[in-house]
Amino acid sequence: MTDHWHQPLRHIKGGELTEDTMQTSGMRRLEAVSGKTVGSEKVWMGETHVGPATNSGDHHHGEAETAIYIKSGHPVFVFADGDKEIRLETGPGDYIFVPPYVPHREENPGEEDAVVIIARSSQEGIVVNLPSLWAEVSQED
């Protein structure tokens, strides 16, 4: 029987992040905390890099809520609101919340890498790549 009061803390050094997670075109996801890496049961955490003048593909994160902290660069988060495309321009120190199943993409119009820290309400890095922001999203993806 596992003693939940005496579990060791896990230290994941910056150089130990792995790319062994779901990827989306135009970005590089690195996994730090997950069911695979540390045995987490309710959270996934990592970082994403989007190079200069690059856009990610459109995607969503299934049933997971996603919280994003902008570490560096000025990424733009794009999502559809009805028939309108909404663009959220961000900078270092800003946060973004992405509700479950919301199609979106990250764009980096700047001249430096955009790096963001991501936390999700799932121990797995759920990523569903889509053909567009207006693609039908099934709640069962």
Side-chain angles (χ1 to χ4, degrees), residues 58-70:
D58 298 327
H59 61 281
H60 71 77
H61 301 290
E63 65 188 3
E65 293 181 329
T66 303
I68 301 171
Y69 171 76
I70 290 62

PDB file of all heavy atoms in Angstrom, residues 58-70:
ATOM      1  N   ASP A  58      -3.282  24.327 -35.780  1.00  0.00           N
ATOM      2  CA  ASP A  58      -4.475  24.435 -34.943  1.00  0.00           C
ATOM      3  C   ASP A  58      -4.648  23.133 -34.169  1.00  0.00           C
ATOM      4  O   ASP A  58      -4.426  22.045 -34.717  1.00  0.00           O
ATOM      5  CB  ASP A  58      -5.706  24.706 -35.814  1.00  0.00           C
ATOM      6  CG  ASP A  58      -5.595  26.020 -36.578  1.00  0.00           C
ATOM      7  OD1 ASP A  58      -4.981  26.963 -36.046  1.00  0.00           O
ATOM      8  OD2 ASP A  58      -6.126  26.096 -37.699  1.00  0.00           O
ATOM      9  N   HIS A  59      -5.053  23.250 -32.894  1.00  0.00           N
ATOM     10  CA  HIS A  59      -5.171  22.067 -32.047  1.00  0.00           C
ATOM     11  C   HIS A  59      -6.029  22.372 -30.825  1.00  0.00           C
ATOM     12  O   HIS A  59      -6.385  23.521 -30.595  1.00  0.00           O
ATOM     13  CB  HIS A  59      -3.788  21.574 -31.602  1.00  0.00           C
ATOM     14  CG  HIS A  59      -3.025  22.578 -30.784  1.00  0.00           C
ATOM     15  ND1 HIS A  59      -2.361  23.653 -31.337  1.00  0.00           N
ATOM     16  CD2 HIS A  59      -2.821  22.679 -29.448  1.00  0.00           C
ATOM     17  CE1 HIS A  59      -1.782  24.366 -30.388  1.00  0.00           C
ATOM     18  NE2 HIS A  59      -2.057  23.806 -29.212  1.00  0.00           N
ATOM     19  N   HIS A  60      -6.365  21.335 -30.052  1.00  0.00           N
ATOM     20  CA  HIS A  60      -6.990  21.520 -28.745  1.00  0.00           C
ATOM     21  C   HIS A  60      -6.417  20.460 -27.808  1.00  0.00           C
ATOM     22  O   HIS A  60      -5.663  19.581 -28.232  1.00  0.00           O
ATOM     23  CB  HIS A  60      -8.523  21.506 -28.817  1.00  0.00           C
ATOM     24  CG  HIS A  60      -9.151  20.185 -29.103  1.00  0.00           C
ATOM     25  ND1 HIS A  60      -9.281  19.189 -28.162  1.00  0.00           N
ATOM     26  CD2 HIS A  60      -9.707  19.703 -30.241  1.00  0.00           C
ATOM     27  CE1 HIS A  60      -9.896  18.151 -28.696  1.00  0.00           C
ATOM     28  NE2 HIS A  60     -10.156  18.433 -29.958  1.00  0.00           N
ATOM     29  N   HIS A  61      -6.766  20.554 -26.533  1.00  0.00           N
ATOM     30  CA  HIS A  61      -6.204  19.657 -25.522  1.00  0.00           C
ATOM     31  C   HIS A  61      -7.270  18.801 -24.859  1.00  0.00           C
ATOM     32  O   HIS A  61      -7.199  18.508 -23.661  1.00  0.00           O
ATOM     33  CB  HIS A  61      -5.415  20.471 -24.486  1.00  0.00           C
ATOM     34  CG  HIS A  61      -4.302  21.249 -25.124  1.00  0.00           C
ATOM     35  ND1 HIS A  61      -3.174  20.662 -25.641  1.00  0.00           N
ATOM     36  CD2 HIS A  61      -4.171  22.569 -25.369  1.00  0.00           C
ATOM     37  CE1 HIS A  61      -2.394  21.578 -26.166  1.00  0.00           C
ATOM     38  NE2 HIS A  61      -2.975  22.756 -26.017  1.00  0.00           N
ATOM     39  N   GLY A  62      -8.272  18.390 -25.651  1.00  0.00           N
ATOM     40  CA  GLY A  62      -9.290  17.479 -25.151  1.00  0.00           C
ATOM     41  C   GLY A  62      -9.956  17.999 -23.892  1.00  0.00           C
ATOM     42  O   GLY A  62     -10.229  19.190 -23.765  1.00  0.00           O
ATOM     43  N   GLU A  63     -10.181  17.097 -22.957  1.00  0.00           N
ATOM     44  CA  GLU A  63     -10.893  17.439 -21.716  1.00  0.00           C
ATOM     45  C   GLU A  63     -10.044  18.220 -20.725  1.00  0.00           C
ATOM     46  O   GLU A  63     -10.548  18.675 -19.697  1.00  0.00           O
ATOM     47  CB  GLU A  63     -11.402  16.168 -21.054  1.00  0.00           C
ATOM     48  CG  GLU A  63     -10.283  15.259 -20.589  1.00  0.00           C
ATOM     49  CD  GLU A  63     -10.760  13.900 -20.095  1.00  0.00           C
ATOM     50  OE1 GLU A  63     -11.962  13.618 -20.156  1.00  0.00           O
ATOM     51  OE2 GLU A  63      -9.906  13.141 -19.633  1.00  0.00           O
ATOM     52  N   ALA A  64      -8.767  18.407 -21.016  1.00  0.00           N
ATOM     53  CA  ALA A  64      -7.865  19.072 -20.066  1.00  0.00           C
ATOM     54  C   ALA A  64      -8.013  20.589 -20.098  1.00  0.00           C
ATOM     55  O   ALA A  64      -8.103  21.195 -21.158  1.00  0.00           O
ATOM     56  CB  ALA A  64      -6.420  18.698 -20.364  1.00  0.00           C
ATOM     57  N   GLU A  65      -8.014  21.188 -18.913  1.00  0.00           N
ATOM     58  CA  GLU A  65      -7.852  22.630 -18.803  1.00  0.00           C
ATOM     59  C   GLU A  65      -6.358  22.901 -18.927  1.00  0.00           C
ATOM     60  O   GLU A  65      -5.541  22.123 -18.442  1.00  0.00           O
ATOM     61  CB  GLU A  65      -8.345  23.134 -17.443  1.00  0.00           C
ATOM     62  CG  GLU A  65      -9.827  22.998 -17.242  1.00  0.00           C
ATOM     63  CD  GLU A  65     -10.281  23.532 -15.895  1.00  0.00           C
ATOM     64  OE1 GLU A  65      -9.493  23.456 -14.919  1.00  0.00           O
ATOM     65  OE2 GLU A  65     -11.401  24.021 -15.816  1.00  0.00           O
ATOM     66  N   THR A  66      -6.009  24.020 -19.567  1.00  0.00           N
ATOM     67  CA  THR A  66      -4.606  24.356 -19.764  1.00  0.00           C
ATOM     68  C   THR A  66      -4.336  25.773 -19.264  1.00  0.00           C
ATOM     69  O   THR A  66      -5.054  26.705 -19.626  1.00  0.00           O
ATOM     70  CB  THR A  66      -4.214  24.257 -21.252  1.00  0.00           C
ATOM     71  OG1 THR A  66      -4.505  22.943 -21.727  1.00  0.00           O
ATOM     72  CG2 THR A  66      -2.745  24.560 -21.461  1.00  0.00           C
ATOM     73  N   ALA A  67      -3.311  25.913 -18.441  1.00  0.00           N
ATOM     74  CA  ALA A  67      -2.854  27.218 -17.979  1.00  0.00           C
ATOM     75  C   ALA A  67      -1.478  27.452 -18.589  1.00  0.00           C
ATOM     76  O   ALA A  67      -0.632  26.553 -18.601  1.00  0.00           O
ATOM     77  CB  ALA A  67      -2.778  27.265 -16.461  1.00  0.00           C
ATOM     78  N   ILE A  68      -1.264  28.663 -19.102  1.00  0.00           N
ATOM     79  CA  ILE A  68      -0.024  28.993 -19.800  1.00  0.00           C
ATOM     80  C   ILE A  68       0.584  30.249 -19.184  1.00  0.00           C
ATOM     81  O   ILE A  68      -0.111  31.234 -18.969  1.00  0.00           O
ATOM     82  CB  ILE A  68      -0.297  29.225 -21.300  1.00  0.00           C
ATOM     83  CG1 ILE A  68      -0.916  27.967 -21.918  1.00  0.00           C
ATOM     84  CG2 ILE A  68       0.980  29.646 -22.028  1.00  0.00           C
ATOM     85  CD1 ILE A  68      -1.427  28.166 -23.332  1.00  0.00           C
ATOM     86  N   TYR A  69       1.888  30.193 -18.928  1.00  0.00           N
ATOM     87  CA  TYR A  69       2.650  31.337 -18.432  1.00  0.00           C
ATOM     88  C   TYR A  69       3.679  31.704 -19.500  1.00  0.00           C
ATOM     89  O   TYR A  69       4.433  30.830 -19.965  1.00  0.00           O
ATOM     90  CB  TYR A  69       3.356  30.983 -17.119  1.00  0.00           C
ATOM     91  CG  TYR A  69       4.325  32.046 -16.658  1.00  0.00           C
ATOM     92  CD1 TYR A  69       3.864  33.223 -16.068  1.00  0.00           C
ATOM     93  CD2 TYR A  69       5.694  31.880 -16.813  1.00  0.00           C
ATOM     94  CE1 TYR A  69       4.745  34.216 -15.658  1.00  0.00           C
ATOM     95  CE2 TYR A  69       6.587  32.861 -16.400  1.00  0.00           C
ATOM     96  CZ  TYR A  69       6.103  34.024 -15.829  1.00  0.00           C
ATOM     97  OH  TYR A  69       6.979  35.002 -15.421  1.00  0.00           O
ATOM     98  N   ILE A  70       3.708  32.961 -19.918  1.00  0.00           N
ATOM     99  CA  ILE A  70       4.649  33.387 -20.946  1.00  0.00           C
ATOM    100  C   ILE A  70       5.984  33.702 -20.280  1.00  0.00           C
ATOM    101  O   ILE A  70       6.107  34.639 -19.490  1.00  0.00           O
ATOM    102  CB  ILE A  70       4.129  34.614 -21.740  1.00  0.00           C
ATOM    103  CG1 ILE A  70       2.944  34.240 -22.649  1.00  0.00           C
ATOM    104  CG2 ILE A  70       5.240  35.146 -22.652  1.00  0.00           C
ATOM    105  CD1 ILE A  70       1.738  33.741 -22.060  1.00  0.00           C
TER     106      ILE A  70
END
